Amino acid sequence: FVIDENKVEEFVETVKKKFPQATGMPVVQNAAKNIVIESFVFAFSLSFILLALLTFVIFRNIIYVFLCFIPLLLSLFFTILIMLVCNINLNFANMISLPLLFSLGISYSIFMVRKFYESKSFSSLLESSIIPGILFSALTTICSFSTLALSSHYGTSSMGILLFVSLSAVMINSLVFLPVFILIFRSKL
């Protein structure tokens, strides 16, 4: 039996060289893996591009778009770091978490940056109800998706864990680091 994923791909390539019409479970699984990875890259790229365009339509300023994406990029970095430290593997079931990180996480940034955009005052941003609103909205989303981690199915459980990690990271980055970056770029806005 071939267990190691790299060995499966090597096995399929070796068999396909001698028997190009070969089929069977390893061939099907290898093809399915490639389709899932291609779909993931497509979904991730599409969500990134569409969110950048949407954010630009909202603000019509590239610096505001940049500000909105800072928490997302930091969250992606921290999520990958936590995955490495905690030995959380990226698999077919939990891959959907990363595009969801972008599509759900951008809203926190947009709310925060929009509040600053309208008031042009950093102090009014900090005094507004937007920060508690983002906090409670994010906690509600995190708690609801985190319940997937309680599933007995490994794939669903790993998706819940990764959603917890990634959405927590985007919430923290939006509430802690984004105001710092707004303060830094305030003079350019």
Side-chain angles (χ1 to χ4, degrees), residues 64-134:
Y64 284 109
V65 174
F66 176 71
L67 284 171
C68 287
F69 273 85
I70 287 173
L72 296 178
L73 297 175
L74 285 173
S75 299
L76 181 63
F77 171 76
F78 286 130
T79 299
I80 292 170
L81 183 67
I82 291 168
M83 288 174 66
L84 291 172
V85 169
C86 297
N87 199 23
I88 301 170
N89 294 323
L90 189 65
N91 57 46
F92 297 143
N94 66 17
M95 274 184 172
I96 191 68
S97 303
L98 297 179
L100 277 173
L101 163 69
F102 273 64
S103 59
L104 291 171
I106 192 79
S107 62
Y108 310 141
S109 299
I110 289 174
F111 294 146
M112 186 85 88
V113 172
R114 183 73 184 183
K115 183 64 180 172
F116 177 78
Y117 176 77
E118 290 171 351
S119 68
K120 299 287 188 209
S121 166
F122 187 74
S123 61
S124 70
L125 169 67
L126 295 179
E127 293 168 359
S128 73
S129 62
I130 200 74
I131 292 175
I134 290 171

Side-chain angles (χ1 to χ4, degrees), residues 51-64:
L51 289 173
L53 288 172
L54 175 69
T55 309
F56 187 76
V57 166
I58 292 170
F59 295 110
R60 292 181 178 84
N61 184 323
I62 197 71
I63 295 174
Y64 284 109

Side-chain angles (χ1 to χ4, degrees), residues 11-12 16 40 49 58 61 68-69 71 83 86 97 103 105 117 119 132 140 142 144-145 154 158 160 163 173 177:
F11 171 75
V12 170
K16 288 291 221 173
F40 168 76
I49 291 167
I58 292 170
N61 184 323
C68 287
F69 273 85
M83 288 174 66
C86 297
S97 303
S103 59
Y117 176 77
S119 68
T140 303
I142 291 167
S144 62
F145 277 115
Y154 173 75
S158 70
L163 280 167
N173 287 319
F177 292 112

